[in-house]
Amino acid sequence: MSNTPPHDMLDVQADQVHRVIGDQLAGFWTVDGDAAAEFTPEQRGYTPPGIRREAYSWGGLARTTPGGTAPLGQAVLAVVIRAAWCLVLPYGLTNLAYWARNLCTTPAQVRRTATLVRLFGLGLTLLFVSAVVTVSSDLIALQYLEHGSGNLPSQFQAVADLPPQRRLAVSLLVPAAALAVLWFVSSRSRTRYDVDGAQQTAETADATPVLRRHGFWNNRGHATETAVIHVAAGVAGTVAMSALFAPPRDEPFGWVFSAIAIVAVLAMVAGAVRLVLTSERGVDVPVSRTEAGVPAATWAVVAVSAAAFVAQSLLLAFGPHAAKTPGGEAPRLDGLVAVPAVLVLVLLALALAGLSVRRMSPWWTVALATTLGVAAVAYLCGQRGPAVVVGAAVFLVLLALALPGSEFQAWSGRAVGVFLLLALGGAMLLSNLVVVGVGNWLNSSSGAAELVSDHPAGDQTEIRIPAIFAWFGVGLVASAAVLVVVLVVVGCCAVRWASFVRARSGDAAASPATADAMALADPDTVPTKRLANAAHRAEPAIGVLAALALLALLPCVILPLRPWQPDEEPPPLHVLATWGALFAAALAAALVGALALRPRSGRPLGIVWDLLGLVPRAAHPFGPPSYSERAVPELVARCDAWLRAADGNRVVLSAHSMGSVLAVAALLDPRSEALAERGALLTYGSQLRAYFGRIFPELFGPDAIANAPASGARPLAPDEFRGDDAGPPTQPRAETLTGLLRGTPGHPRWINLWRKTDHLGFPAYSRLRNRVDVRADEVDRSGYLPTVAGHSGYVRTPQYRDALAELRRLIGA
């Protein structure tokens, strides 16, 4: 099983396979009978007599995009959709942070940490809404259209002729439509992906490993409620932000806008409360779930938010209005200037709290985050001195708590904070790109700093944006400078790595029988090993990105502390803000271009996207859909149907790369008793121990697999895994993967193949010598010419055939 095309898994041509069951997104495939009969044991794709080979491919779930009817239309639409998928990457990172929490503590602690991450996800939705409202309502409808629509299509001229309040009413349809699109995509993916109907029971509510709980992959009802809450809060946030626009308060109905703003704020608070209460329904909370649909209280929040939106839109469109603003100045949503700053400060507080959430009491985490949020509000209200002192003290406390950690967990137990910092940095990068880009286009200015100046130069249009976006650009420049230093250090270390890999490869002797014969024919594996040696340091590299994201966010808090006047800002700050905007545009363009224009990738980020889609959308409903919610139940059902067909039937799950994670999830599923008794597992190119066991300890860690805990890669040492030699447990629990596949003494029904030329393949049990991990050949000699084998080609090695034969013997197949 893999997310690659089925004919690649079966090692045959594309026209030699057919689908047994499934659809265009995922299904089981096998070789045609006529084609299978022509293969000989020496050929690729050969199937021994008495064996049925089926390939399960979920590539359509993980990486495909809709296409057009014509070839050109299909290509263009695919590029657009791949680029659009980048917008939900911060939401996917939030979901990763949710499942990186400690899931095996008390129910109260699990709920509190879930609340922290869910509130962060709600803040990301509001940040998205604030960016859309800033562009559509503040920049375009109020500021730019007050003086005409020269840079906009002619259709905007009709809107430009309207009074400011009516232009604002029209512009509010844009954020509402954006939320509707997010909800539609989320709802559509739930229909196509969430197929599991199992419900959590009281007997398995607190089962460990967590994947042993019934209904783990059934997240439809919970995701539906959280999606409704996010849409309602986004609509209420739109109303509150636009109500900050000062309509004629001295005219009739002026007081109604204030009342609507208060109702909208209360609706957002109620939505946050409902989101906190949904933590009770999460499968990670060890209590039985009884409520299936969306509660009436949640629908009440939706109704209030919708009513406030409709009432405000009608008043803006048909209520009293002024034809022009006093003095001829463009009107602004002045209160909206502070909204992104407040959101970033609160989100940054939650992300910093996430650094310590696995090792400290959630009460302390929430208390520190709340204190930092209060300090942020005090700072915005003018109490800058005390706010800075309190904020700095809280930051130092969080940093001190984050220093000690476990070497057997990702980023020493800071995975939650790392993912949240990356999510916030990515969300701000996208918001900065949209707001600054549109502002520069409308303003025709020479730099982003002009967008936050109160004294426009020459004849430029008076377009203003929230200052926090310019400060974020300054942070990007600082991050870029630090990144250059990091790359220089890594480049210097790469010389040492190359020497180490060359020496290690020279010490590895070939077998006497084949060394002389293959000395001239085999290609050099050292360059591939160097690449793998560097790629194995992905975890510390991601940690560096999180630190750079934090560095880019800090100026959003620090730079506004100085009470300078806009016309007194030092010239270097203008230059940094301008370069920051250019750097953000270049970075986003390079990212979107590299992701959207890749010819062989259906969705962006490839491997990273596979990681984002692995876990359920429990924290943010608008994240990438989880292909596991469909793949795992389908695997369980297919294996169960085969085993029930005859008592003599047996199953060997052969899983490559991410397929090994799905295979483990299927074996740990409580409905897979027959598969655990009459099945075996063959994995290769797996990241199960090195990555997933460290990032999600309660899902795929040693307590679930009963393997040796893995140490993280050393960022600068030549040997990236020096010291990772912890021995495996002697007596694994029966509920763990090794316990379920215990087999005969000393011969578990599980074999894992790996090689040092594989940049994504690692030992799955221990780096010490054991009966699970087997080194595979690093040179593929099955073709006309030998080639260096990397992450693929395991099925062509003699070790694969030997492992398959051994597992068949162990299960009596």
Side-chain angles (χ1 to χ4, degrees):
M1 65 187 70
S2 176
N3 59 4
T4 57
H7 64 274
D8 288 344
M9 286 184 281
L10 296 171
D11 211 11
V12 296
Q13 300 298 319
D15 58 354
Q16 295 177 322
V17 300
H18 68 276
R19 186 168 57 213
V20 179
I21 187 173
D23 55 23
Q24 70 275 15
L25 296 177
F28 293 85
W29 299 69
T30 189
V31 181
D32 295 333
D34 295 339
E38 298 176 357
F39 291 128
T40 63
E42 294 78 18
Q43 290 180 305
R44 297 176 177 178
Y46 170 75
T47 302
I51 294 180
R52 177 176 177 83
R53 295 177 63 204
E54 289 187 0
Y56 179 67
S57 175
W58 71 93
L61 293 173
R63 298 187 183 181
T64 58
T65 54
T69 55
L72 179 60
Q74 182 177 2
V76 173
L77 183 60
V79 169
V80 173
I81 293 178
R82 290 171 194 163
W85 274 113
C86 299
L87 300 176
V88 302
L89 293 181
Y91 308 150
L93 291 169
T94 305
N95 287 323
L96 292 183
Y98 183 89
W99 293 107
R101 298 158 28 249
N102 192 336
L103 306 177
C104 292
T105 57
T106 64
Q109 290 178 326
V110 174
R111 281 193 294 266
R112 285 192 288 267
T113 55
T115 296
L116 184 146
V117 182
R118 285 200 173 103
L119 290 179
F120 181 92
L122 184 62
L124 286 184
T125 299
L126 294 177
L127 184 62
F128 166 78
V129 171
S130 71
V132 177
V133 173
T134 298
V135 171
S136 64
S137 300
D138 191 20
L139 298 186
I140 297 178
L142 294 182
Q143 297 189 58
Y144 188 76
L145 292 183
E146 184 72 10
H147 304 284
S149 57
N151 284 354
L152 297 173
S154 57
Q155 290 80 359
F156 281 83
Q157 186 59 48
V159 181
D161 295 335
L162 297 175
Q165 287 86 351
R166 294 185 179 178
R167 294 202 305 267
L168 180 59
V170 174
S171 69
L172 292 181
L173 297 176
V174 177
L179 288 170
V181 169
L182 289 177
W183 177 85
F184 174 78
V185 173
S186 173
S187 176
R188 182 69 179 273
S189 63
R190 284 196 300 272
T191 303
R192 305 174 73 184
Y193 286 66
D194 304 349
V195 300
D196 194 4
Q199 294 292 332
Q200 184 171 328
T201 62
E203 293 77 13
T204 64
D206 57 350
T208 55
V210 178
L211 293 178
R212 298 289 292 171
R213 298 175 184 177
H214 280 286
F216 181 89
W217 301 110
N218 179 13
N219 193 48
R220 178 178 299 182
H222 182 242
T224 300
E225 182 179 4
T226 55
V228 169
I229 293 173
H230 277 251
V231 171
V235 171
T238 301
V239 174
M241 295 172 196
S242 57
L244 295 174
F245 168 64
R249 295 286 193 263
D250 56 343
E251 297 187 12
F253 304 107
W255 61 271
V256 180
F257 287 95
S258 300
I260 292 175
I262 294 174
V263 172
V265 172
L266 293 177
M268 282 194 295
V269 174
V273 172
R274 290 302 310 166
L275 193 66
V276 170
L277 296 178
T278 60
S279 300
E280 191 72 29
R281 302 180 62 187
V283 70
D284 52 301
V285 179
V287 295
S288 179
R289 289 183 291 177
T290 58
E291 199 172 15
V294 178
T298 300
W299 288 119
V301 175
V302 175
V304 172
S305 300
F309 181 83
V310 173
Q312 186 191 56
S313 299
L314 292 177
L315 283 174
L316 288 172
F318 303 106
H321 58 83
K324 289 290 183 179
T325 55
E329 296 181 357
R332 288 200 63 187
L333 293 178
D334 294 322
L336 186 60
V337 175
V339 171
V342 173
L343 289 174
V344 170
L345 287 170
V346 173
L347 291 173
L348 183 59
L350 294 175
L352 292 175
L355 292 173
S356 306
V357 76
R358 285 192 64 92
R359 296 183 309 281
M360 63 182 293
S361 169
W363 283 116
W364 282 104
T365 302
V366 174
L368 291 174
T370 303
T371 304
L372 194 56
V374 172
V377 174
Y379 151 73
L380 291 174
C381 294
Q383 302 297 323
R384 293 180 174 177
V388 171
V389 173
V390 173
V394 172
F395 177 79
L396 292 176
V397 171
L398 289 172
L399 185 62
L401 291 171
L403 288 178
S406 172
E407 63 172 320
F408 300 124
Q409 295 176 3
W411 301 287
S412 298
R414 306 182 187 94
V416 176
V418 167
F419 287 134
L420 293 185
L421 285 174
L422 289 174
L424 180 56
M428 272 300 295
L429 176 64
L430 295 173
S431 299
N432 176 274
L433 178 68
V434 173
V435 174
V436 177
V438 174
N440 273 326
W441 176 51
L442 297 176
N443 208 30
S444 301
S445 68
S446 59
E450 300 293 339
L451 296 172
V452 295
S453 174
D454 290 338
H455 301 282
D459 298 329
Q460 71 177 46
T461 306
E462 298 179 352
I463 302 297
R464 302 291 170 267
I465 65 172
I468 191 173
F469 294 107
W471 307 149
F472 182 75
V474 175
L476 286 177
V477 174
S479 298
V482 174
L483 180 60
V484 170
V485 176
V486 172
L487 292 178
V488 170
V489 173
V490 171
C492 296
C493 293
V495 178
R496 297 176 58 205
W497 301 347
S499 301
F500 171 79
V501 171
R502 170 66 70 179
R504 183 171 59 182
S505 301
D507 294 338
S511 60
T514 60
D516 295 337
M518 297 179 180
L520 298 178
D522 284 354
D524 186 9
T525 62
V526 172
T528 307
K529 288 182 179 180
R530 291 176 183 171
L531 176 62
N533 180 272
H536 289 167
R537 306 168 203 267
E539 181 181 321
I542 295 175
V544 171
L545 291 180
L548 293 177
L550 175 60
L551 180 60
L553 292 166
L554 287 180
C556 300
V557 182
I558 297 175
L559 287 180
L561 296 179
R562 177 182 173 182
W564 55 53
Q565 297 298 324
D567 56 344
E568 297 177 355
E569 293 175 1
L573 190 59
H574 284 264
V575 175
L576 291 177
T578 302
W579 278 101
L582 295 176
F583 180 72
L587 181 62
L591 178 64
V592 172
L595 302 178
L597 300 179
R598 289 184 61 187
R600 300 186 60 186
S601 177
R603 282 188 188 171
L605 290 186
I607 299 167
V608 176
W609 196 269
D610 292 339
L611 175 62
L612 297 177
L614 174 67
V615 292
R617 293 179 290 186
H620 205 297
F622 302 147
S626 173
Y627 55 83
S628 303
E629 293 182 350
R630 172 173 170 177
V632 173
E634 286 186 346
L635 279 172
V636 172
R638 185 62 177 169
C639 293
D640 183 66
W642 173 257
L643 294 173
R644 284 189 290 105
D647 293 338
N649 285 353
R650 299 291 186 270
V651 172
V652 175
L653 288 178
S654 175
H656 174 243
S657 192
M658 290 293 298
S660 62
V661 182
L662 295 182
V664 168
L667 283 164
L668 291 177
D669 193 283
R671 297 165 294 184
S672 298
E673 290 85 357
L675 177 61
E677 293 176 0
R678 299 157 58 187
L681 177 63
L682 175 56
T683 58
Y684 37 97
S686 174
Q687 310 91 35
L688 187 64
R689 175 177 177 266
Y691 290 159
F692 294 99
R694 291 175 52 79
I695 298 175
F696 311 112
E698 287 73 36
L699 298 181
F700 302 103
D703 291 338
I705 309 299
N707 55 356
S711 298
R714 302 168 66 89
L716 301 179
D719 187 353
E720 69 274 35
F721 290 112
R722 186 178 63 187
D724 182 18
D725 55 359
T730 55
Q731 294 183 347
R733 293 188 301 119
E735 296 82 6
T736 62
L737 177 69
T738 308
L740 293 171
L741 301 176
R742 53 190 176 273
T744 59
H747 292 81
R749 290 177 281 126
W750 175 24
I751 296 178
N752 176 73
L753 305 179
W754 69 286
R755 53 168 72 107
K756 288 188 176 181
T757 53
D758 188 348
H759 62 286
L760 283 174
F762 305 88
Y765 197 73
S766 173
R767 298 194 73 85
L768 296 177
R769 185 177 182 86
N770 60 86
R771 293 187 177 273
V772 173
D773 296 305
V774 176
R775 287 278 297 272
D777 287 347
E778 298 173 352
V779 177
D780 182 6
R781 303 182 182 89
S782 62
Y784 178 73
L785 293 175
T787 57
V788 178
H791 189 53
S792 59
Y794 281 93
V795 295
R796 302 168 186 169
T797 63
Q799 291 81 13
Y800 179 89
R801 294 189 291 270
D802 295 342
L804 190 60
E806 173 66 12
L807 293 176
R808 289 179 57 195
R809 184 188 66 81
L810 291 175
I811 62 177

